[in-house]
């Protein structure tokens, strides 16, 4: 996936139905691509370009990871 992918505008968190943010590998934190919900602090993997958006696929992130992810999301 890429940040300009129109699919990102319609994808939603399976738990709160809110928007998700694309996390692309940058050398920090997990190296895989993922979608992130900062409201619930849950990260969903993107495997071979396919978002894994089942509630059980998401993982809770720690406070430190959350802070780092917020910095990466800031414009």
């Amino acid at each position: 996936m890429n940040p300009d992918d129109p699919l990102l505008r319609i994808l939603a968190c399976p738990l709160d139905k809110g928007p998700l943010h694309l996390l692309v590998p940058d050398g920090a934190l997990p190296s895989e691509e993922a979608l992130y919900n900062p409201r619930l602090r849950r990260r969903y993997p993107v495997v071979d370009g396919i978002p894994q958006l089942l509630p059980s696929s998401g993982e809770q992130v720690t406070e430190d990871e959350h802070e780092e992810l917020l910095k990466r999301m800031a414009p």
Side-chain angles (χ1 to χ4, degrees):
M1 297 187 84
N2 65 56
D4 299 325
D5 193 327
L7 184 62
L8 285 174
R9 290 190 296 245
I10 61 172
L11 289 178
C13 175
L15 299 175
D16 75 357
K17 311 302 184 227
L20 296 166
H21 300 274
L22 179 64
L23 301 173
V24 293
D26 72 347
L29 294 177
S31 60
E32 70 270 358
E33 191 174 45
L35 294 169
Y36 185 59
N37 178 341
R39 298 167 308 283
L40 299 179
R41 298 180 182 189
R42 292 188 65 83
R43 178 176 41 222
Y44 297 93
V46 176
V47 179
D48 296 327
I50 301 170
Q52 307 297 304
L53 293 176
L54 292 173
S56 61
S57 297
E59 67 175 350
Q60 201 72 31
V61 301
T62 65
E63 181 66 30
D64 291 339
E65 286 177 304
H66 174 70
E67 293 301 321
E68 184 61 36
L69 293 172
L70 288 178
K71 289 177 193 171
R72 287 175 55 190
M73 290 172 23

